[in-house]
Amino acid sequence: MPVYPPEPWRIKMVEPLRTTTRDDREEALREAGWNPCLLRSEDVYVDLFTDSGTNAMSDRQWSALMRGDEAYAGARSFYVFEEAVRAFYGYEHVIPVHQGRGGENILSRCLIRPGTHVPGNMYFPSTRAHQELNGATFHDVIVDEAHDAESEHPFKGDVDLGKLRAVIAEFGADAIPYVSLAATVNMAGGQPISVANVAETCALAHAHGIPVFLDTARAVENAWLVKQREPGWARASVAEILLALCAPTDGAVMSAKKDSLANIGGWIALRDPVLAEQARGLVLVYEGLHTYGGMTGRDMEAIAVGIAESVEEDHIRARVAQVEYLGERLDRAGVPITRPIGGHCVCIDAAAALPHVPRTDFPAQTVACAIYLEAGVRGVERGAVTAGRDPVTGVNRLPKLELLRLAIPRRVYTRAHMDLVADTVIAVHRDRDRIACGLTFAYEPRHLRFFQARFKPVSGASIFDTR
Ligand code: PM9
């Protein structure tokens, strides 16, 4: 059995869970149009749909909520929040937003002009959607290994500098408003970028006058993986590595719903005072006043505490170890997963697991349904459904990775839950030949289609139907 280190917390409050029967789940999934995203959470037993906003707050965070200053303008809580972001991430100008995509909207509107090009280390759906809605084309410049589930490359989030150079050479620096980096890379399975590669990417971009912005949603998890894997960083603290990751970049967009152990919130953090002033102006239009950005004062207080807790080594060690435990259990049982195991999730390589389901019939969405039916475990498709259509040609994108992601909320589930998830996935994989067909769209929304799409089995009434 893989190691499961004890958690550095104990449980003070519980949220009862409802258990369901197979019949209950079949009915719920049909009503949800074969899209686990449309299930009611009461019909889910272990919810690994996302680690975003699903974290358990500490008693210190709950206490901080009581200190929330709900003044409309200039709330004390904003200054507490601002100070925490400055201290731990190292950027001067801190602009609150309601969550990550609020920041993506503002940054894209500030910098992107129609016809421009944004290179980045793999796309993320909401990030790319904002870039495309503002008229840019995204270019994936991540290392090739990131698209290979089996590659053991320790830094699958790294930028391939040759690919970045080629994009700059093809379109010219003037047509590139910024480079969009992420730490860790979610769509590759929570894979880290090395400190050295962030520095090299920034040096190359800056030499052409192109700024670099970092998606820091899971940069603390990235820092922990740097400490484990990157030569020269083993003795540094996670807090020091986090600062080192951010230091060469021009700014960051943050969803505080991830690393920062909060249920809502985010920020844009910048070095350039002129850009910061422009961003504040748009925050006033789209989010709220520039000292709350769509958050309450108590949200900002809870985030400030969460930021400090997120870099505590006992916390981050246990958090990533829980993810590794689940991944190792699946790996040892022969379930194909993305390797190395990432920071926030375990991803099942659904194309490898269900070779008899064509890519166009969405094998990862199909596996998501199968594991829900088996035991009420919810994951999310991260493959062709999430990739969507090319906005210009309308053709379905077919990414190399066809993954079913199991994202683990922080400080929420126990080892017994992880064992239940592992046993469920192993059972579905053992009986995979019983899955007779994949899924096809019954309703396909235009934007971020994975959230609200409805499906039907390609043949028969169920994915298990052999007719
Ligand atoms: N990530 C996730 O489940 C939540 C919704 S999926 C669109 O992984 C990165 C790297 C993310 C992310 C959300 C956002 C958007 C930006 N960057 O959800 O708007 O993983 O706070 O953040 C989700 P918000």
Side-chain angles (χ1 to χ4, degrees):
M1 272 293 208
V3 181
Y4 191 101
E7 290 89 353
W9 38 262
R10 58 187 173 191
I11 297 166
K12 193 177 266 188
M13 186 191 285
V14 296
E15 178 182 0
L17 291 175
R18 189 170 82 90
T19 50
T20 52
T21 64
R22 174 103 189 182
D23 285 347
D24 293 334
R25 295 194 288 274
E26 283 188 0
E27 191 184 329
L29 192 59
R30 278 215 175 78
E31 273 180 24
W34 295 86
N35 186 357
C37 185
L38 296 178
L39 290 166
R40 289 170 182 247
S41 88
E42 285 184 340
D43 293 328
V44 176
Y45 183 57
V46 180
D47 201 348
L48 306 188
F49 183 78
T50 183
D51 62 323
S52 176
T54 52
N55 305 303
M57 291 205 295
S58 67
D59 51 359
R60 291 176 281 182
Q61 286 177 288
W62 282 100
S63 315
L65 291 178
M66 299 305 292
R67 293 198 297 267
D69 174 357
E70 306 303 345
Y72 189 88
R76 183 187 60 242
S77 303
F78 166 71
Y79 298 102
V80 172
F81 163 84
E82 179 188 52
E83 187 43 42
V85 177
R86 279 184 179 159
F88 287 93
Y89 290 81
Y91 302 103
E92 173 63 15
H93 303 283
V94 179
I95 304 161
V97 291
H98 80 281
Q99 63 180 83
R101 70 199 74 178
E104 291 168 345
N105 175 37
I106 304 295
L107 192 71
S108 303
R109 282 177 183 271
C110 284
L111 297 173
I112 292 175
R113 297 289 162 268
T116 54
H117 301 268
V118 178
N121 56 348
M122 204 176 264
Y123 86 101
F124 185 73
S126 61
T127 318
R128 185 174 66 184
H130 285 293
Q131 291 160 354
E132 289 178 346
L133 284 168
N134 284 284
T137 304
F138 177 79
H139 298 268
D140 187 1
V141 294
I142 204 165
V143 291
D144 286 343
E145 288 86 346
H147 295 280
D148 173 2
E150 287 177 13
S151 163
E152 292 285 349
H153 192 303
F155 289 102
K156 283 171 141 180
D158 278 0
V159 167
D160 179 328
L161 297 174
K163 289 185 190 173
L164 179 56
R165 263 188 218 102
V167 172
I168 298 171
E170 183 173 354
F171 301 107
D174 289 349
I176 300 176
Y178 62 96
V179 175
S180 176
L181 283 189
T184 59
V185 177
N186 192 352
M187 297 299 286
Q191 302 294 335
I193 182 169
S194 60
V195 173
N197 188 261
V198 174
E200 286 162 359
T201 303
C202 290
L204 173 59
H206 291 163
H208 291 85
I210 304 167
V212 178
F213 295 97
L214 186 64
D215 181 328
T216 46
R218 299 182 183 85
V220 177
E221 289 163 3
N222 197 114
W224 174 256
L225 295 172
V226 163
K227 187 173 166 76
Q228 311 309 306
R229 299 179 190 171
E230 188 169 349
W233 290 100
R235 287 169 181 275
S237 69
V238 170
E240 287 165 345
I241 301 171
L242 179 61
L243 282 171
L245 282 166
C246 297
T249 68
D250 299 274
V253 176
M254 177 71 179
S255 167
K257 302 172 73 173
K258 281 85 169 173
D259 271 349
S260 301
L261 297 161
N263 300 124
I264 194 69
W267 66 80
I268 307 169
L270 301 168
R271 302 196 195 285
D272 176 359
V274 177
L275 179 59
E277 205 43 42
Q278 192 187 352
R280 278 189 203 100
L282 288 183
V283 162
L284 294 174
V285 177
Y286 292 105
E287 299 283 310
L289 202 75
H290 60 284
T291 54
Y292 74 83
M295 288 186 281
T296 62
R298 54 185 176 273
D299 295 331
M300 292 190 281
E301 295 277 355
I303 292 171
V305 175
I307 291 171
E309 289 183 353
S310 72
V311 298
E312 286 174 7
E313 304 219 355
D314 283 348
H315 157 72
I316 191 68
R317 179 187 300 111
R319 189 286 186 277
V320 178
Q322 189 182 44
V323 177
E324 283 167 353
Y325 174 82
L326 175 62
E328 288 296 340
R329 275 216 56 198
L330 297 182
D331 204 22
R332 289 183 194 193
V335 178
I337 60 166
T338 47
R339 301 271 324 166
I341 297 161
H344 70 294
C345 62
V346 176
C347 292
I348 297 158
D349 181 353
L354 296 186
H356 57 292
V357 175
R359 288 290 309 275
T360 45
D361 295 351
F362 308 131
Q365 186 75 21
T366 308
V367 177
C369 293
I371 66 164
Y372 172 69
L373 291 174
E374 179 75 18
V377 175
R378 173 156 71 171
V380 70
E381 196 264 10
R382 283 293 177 246
V385 177
T386 301
R389 292 177 185 272
D390 184 291
V392 178
T393 64
V395 173
N396 271 312
R397 293 160 160 146
L398 207 58
K400 291 206 180 91
L401 295 174
E402 174 72 14
L403 307 177
L404 181 269
R405 187 189 74 175
L406 302 169
I408 304 181
R410 296 161 189 79
R411 307 191 293 206
V412 170
Y413 290 115
T414 64
R415 175 178 179 166
H417 290 114
M418 291 303 108
D419 283 333
L420 178 132
V421 173
D423 293 343
T424 302
V425 174
I426 291 166
V428 167
H429 186 248
R430 185 193 57 220
D431 298 337
R432 60 194 176 279
D433 291 341
R434 286 186 46 234
I435 297 178
C437 70
L439 296 160
T440 185
F441 279 113
Y443 162 62
E444 183 189 346
R446 181 143 173 240
H447 299 298
L448 300 178
R449 64 186 184 179
F450 57 94
F451 279 129
Q452 297 187 86
R454 299 182 72 80
F455 300 86
K456 57 186 181 193
V458 166
S459 59
S462 163
I463 55 173
F464 294 103
D465 235 333
T466 46
R467 276 176 302 142

